[in-house]
Amino acid sequence: MKKQRSGLAVMARLIGLVRPLTGYMLLAVLMGLAGHLCASFITIFGAFGLVRALGLGGPLPLPALFAGAAGMALARGLLRYGEQACNHFIAFKLLALLRDKVFAALRRLAPARLDGRDKGDLIAVITSDIELLEVFYAHTISPAAIALLFSAGMAAFIGAVHPLLGAIALAAYLTVGLLVPLATSRAAGGAGADFRRRSGELSAFVLDSLRGLPEILQYGAGGRRLAEMERRTGELAAHEGRMKRTAALNAAVTNTLILAFDLAMLCAAALLCMAGRLDFADGAVATVALMSSFGPAVALANLGAGLQNTFAAGNRVLDILEETPVTAEVEGRPATAFSGARVEDVTFRYGDEAVLDGLSLEVPENSVVGIAGRSGSGKSTLLKLLMRFWQAQQGRVEISGRPIDGVNTADLRAMEAYVTQETHLFRDSIRANLRLAKPDATDAEIEDACKKASVHEFIQSLPQGYDTPVGELGETLSGGERQRLGLARAFLHGAPFLLLDEPTSNLDSLNEAVILRALGRESGDRTVVLVSHRRSTLRIADRVVSVEHGRLS
């Protein structure tokens, strides 16, 4: 769910994440402020030295001025290093924390909120969008605070020479450091958000193309796909070019304004000197002080165009962090052991489409309940409700006589195993993929589960046996082999409640018979809900019900 937040709202939320590192941020601001003062006063001391050399007096003798300038040059380098070290420590620490928060949010949102989401776009958020926030944390927060404090201090210093000169300096800092970035940001409009959206869409398109490469080659669609990729890349590049032109215009306006204010300060100081209201020495020092003090304000001005892109990235990250899961994690309830399941008068809709309408079903302990029905009749949705991936809008779903939303999520996951016809395998070995169900499983337990799923002999025939890599998404295995590994996972998990959604759809009749015999043996200790189109698969069920138009028939 995408929210439209103002730039200030995004900035406030992003700054709020710095709270655990406030000490480092204050240290960065103090070192940055001291460093910029040193940089400016090197030039100011030079002006004092020039005045002294002309015999017009000054606060310090020439040797002291040279020594002070040298000391400030050394301090400037050390302070700059310290400021950048603190800022980048904050930035990279927060990027790590943000990625941790985003992955935690994705775990909370899965699977319901992630159904239908572009995986390429999610990858863009996790990688490039979060990476872009480094600019905000390392080059925005402390520079903004430094610019505010430094500009106020320098305006007071110049104002002590003459109030009019102080007013010119203050106007210069406000114009360059505040008005220019605000105007640039407004001129950029929603360009940053549009750029991040297009970038995410391009990532999704490329990922989709890589996954569908065999089909693209088979049907000779490579040229069309490549042309579409080049078109999208060209549009993104053109969009980025417009953003860079805005940034270039911002830089040109900033530099022009700096020259204009320098000239205004020089003219004002000269007029005051001619009128006898200001000494030449003071006028020269005030003018040099302004000319040497635009660094922090320019740093803010240069952020104007880039901030739109940064805030757009921050907005996309916040969308994930602030999205509410369909089903919240349940903790702190009394422990629950499985003793049957029950669905009573359940209604469920995807949007406006009713999938289940007043459905009721009893699943006694140690029984096998078969569910038949046409595609789209709500069979798989019923299993997802029993897993509490989704929440029923009406009616009750009970586990062991308790409402399912009153059962600890950890207990629910321990007592249930869910197998779909599409088994996801990670890019790892067969053994590691199976241990997902039980990390501390022994080799004997793994082999026993694979024997029940009729896949042990196949694994043994592989050159590396159980240590054989399965490739990305299990691409080195057939659909039937992946499905049998999914069943082996479920057997290894040892849950008393098995939810099987077309568990034999990719299997031949021989392997189906072996697996059904294993399920039959397991049914004495487990409760099974078996969804299938195959009559042969449903023969092991103690009771078979049919779901039509969201109701039992």
Side-chain angles (χ1 to χ4, degrees):
M1 182 178 64
K2 292 177 170 51
K3 295 181 182 178
Q4 292 300 321
R5 303 175 183 85
S6 67
L8 288 176
V10 175
M11 186 187 299
R13 286 285 287 111
L14 293 177
I15 290 175
L17 297 173
V18 183
R19 195 170 298 134
L21 300 169
T22 302
Y24 286 99
M25 182 58 71
L26 290 175
L27 184 59
V29 170
L30 291 174
M31 287 194 293
L33 177 60
H36 280 291
L37 287 172
C38 286
S40 291
F41 271 86
I42 291 171
T43 309
I44 292 170
F45 273 28
F48 279 131
L50 179 61
V51 169
R52 186 83 179 183
L54 292 173
L56 299 176
L60 295 170
L62 282 174
L65 290 172
F66 284 127
M72 287 185 180
L74 178 62
R76 167 61 173 160
L78 295 174
L79 290 167
R80 178 66 172 168
Y81 177 84
E83 177 205 353
Q84 290 299 306
C86 284
N87 279 334
H88 284 86
F89 173 80
I90 292 167
F92 293 124
K93 186 72 173 177
L94 283 173
L95 293 188
L97 292 173
L98 268 178
R99 285 198 171 97
D100 184 63
K101 286 177 178 290
V102 167
F103 280 116
L106 291 176
R107 287 195 295 272
R108 290 194 306 272
L109 296 174
R113 288 292 191 199
L114 301 186
D115 272 359
R117 290 282 292 267
D118 259 338
K119 302 305 183 286
D121 188 54
L122 285 175
I123 290 171
V125 173
I126 294 167
T127 54
S128 59
D129 284 350
I130 290 180
E131 196 67 33
L132 193 58
L133 295 182
E134 185 267 340
V135 175
F136 178 76
Y137 288 119
H139 306 291
T140 303
I141 300 178
S142 69
I146 291 167
L148 176 64
L149 296 172
F150 178 83
S151 298
M154 289 304 296
F157 175 77
I158 297 172
V161 174
H162 194 282
L164 176 60
L165 302 185
I168 293 173
L170 184 60
Y173 298 140
L174 289 175
T175 301
V176 174
L178 183 62
L179 296 182
V180 169
L182 286 177
T184 304
S185 180
R186 182 164 295 182
D194 193 35
F195 180 79
R196 300 315 306 167
R197 178 183 60 80
R198 289 171 183 264
S199 179
E201 289 175 353
L202 179 60
S203 296
F205 185 83
V206 172
L207 182 61
D208 203 31
S209 299
L210 289 174
R211 284 179 172 172
L213 201 55
E215 286 75 13
I216 291 172
L217 294 174
Q218 177 185 351
Y219 295 107
R224 296 193 302 275
R225 200 77 183 179
L226 181 60
E228 175 64 14
M229 191 179 298
E230 289 176 343
R231 183 188 69 80
R232 295 188 183 209
T233 303
E235 288 182 352
L236 191 64
H239 199 81
E240 186 176 20
R242 290 192 292 272
M243 293 174 64
K244 287 185 175 179
R245 284 193 292 274
T246 301
L249 178 62
N250 168 73
V253 170
T254 298
N255 291 330
T256 302
L257 286 171
I258 289 173
L259 290 174
F261 278 110
D262 286 344
L263 184 60
M265 177 66 78
L266 182 61
C267 291
L271 290 172
L272 289 172
C273 287
M274 291 170 62
R277 300 171 60 187
L278 185 68
D279 291 336
F280 171 79
D282 290 339
V285 168
T287 302
V288 169
L290 180 68
M291 291 180 176
S292 66
S293 62
F294 278 106
V298 169
L300 286 188
N302 291 337
L303 291 172
L307 276 182
Q308 282 294 322
N309 208 6
T310 303
F311 287 159
N315 202 49
R316 282 157 56 84
V317 172
L318 292 175
D319 280 340
I320 292 178
L321 294 180
E322 295 178 358
E323 190 165 356
T324 305
V326 173
T327 56
E329 295 278 316
V330 178
E331 298 177 337
R333 304 296 175 88
T336 304
F338 183 76
S339 60
R342 184 166 174 261
V343 175
E344 182 181 356
D345 198 24
V346 162
T347 297
F348 183 82
R349 291 180 176 83
Y350 290 111
D352 296 329
E353 181 184 358
V355 180
L356 298 176
D357 184 14
L359 184 143
S360 297
L361 177 67
E362 190 82 29
V363 184
E365 188 177 7
N366 298 331
S367 67
V368 180
V369 176
I371 301 178
R374 293 179 298 178
S375 295
S377 60
K379 307 184 302 297
S380 297
T381 299
L382 176 60
L383 298 190
K384 291 177 181 178
L385 291 177
L386 288 168
M387 286 292 296
R388 201 168 170 263
F389 288 167
W390 293 92
Q391 190 82 27
Q393 280 107 13
Q394 295 177 21
R396 288 168 61 88
V397 179
E398 295 181 354
I399 298 290
S400 305
R402 294 181 180 177
I404 196 168
D405 54 7
V407 177
N408 292 322
T409 302
D411 291 346
L412 195 64
R413 297 290 173 261
M415 70 175 70
E416 293 181 333
Y418 179 42
V419 179
T420 67
Q421 52 189 314
E422 294 295 333
T423 298
H424 183 91
L425 296 177
F426 295 90
R427 187 168 188 156
D428 209 329
S429 67
I430 291 174
R431 190 188 311 276
N433 270 284
L434 291 171
R435 280 208 168 107
L436 183 71
K438 188 178 180 182
D440 59 348
T442 64
D443 289 346
E445 289 174 323
I446 291 173
E447 291 180 9
D448 182 59
C450 289
K451 288 175 183 176
K452 292 176 182 177
S454 186
V455 73
H456 173 69
E457 291 183 3
F458 161 73
I459 296 173
Q460 289 287 71
S461 71
L462 297 173
Q464 299 180 57
Y466 281 85
D467 295 317
T468 302
V470 300
E472 186 174 7
L473 301 177
E475 63 187 358
T476 63
L477 305 177
S478 70
E481 289 158 359
R482 289 196 296 269
Q483 194 165 33
R484 281 182 283 167
L485 286 176
L487 282 165
R489 266 185 189 161
F491 289 138
L492 183 62
H493 185 48
F497 191 22
L498 283 177
L499 303 171
L500 308 178
D501 190 358
E502 300 287 356
T504 60
S505 60
N506 294 317
L507 303 180
D508 55 35
S509 56
L510 180 61
N511 280 312
E512 179 191 32
V514 172
I515 287 172
L516 291 177
R517 282 198 297 272
L519 285 174
R521 289 193 298 270
E522 293 288 312
S523 62
D525 300 319
R526 307 192 196 204
T527 304
V528 181
V529 175
L530 178 60
V531 168
S532 181
H533 288 93
R534 292 185 176 184
R535 292 182 179 274
S536 57
T537 300
L538 294 174
R539 282 183 305 182
I540 67 165
D542 301 321
R543 178 167 62 105
V544 177
V545 298
S546 180
V547 177
E548 296 294 337
H549 305 296
R551 290 179 172 272
L552 292 185
S553 61

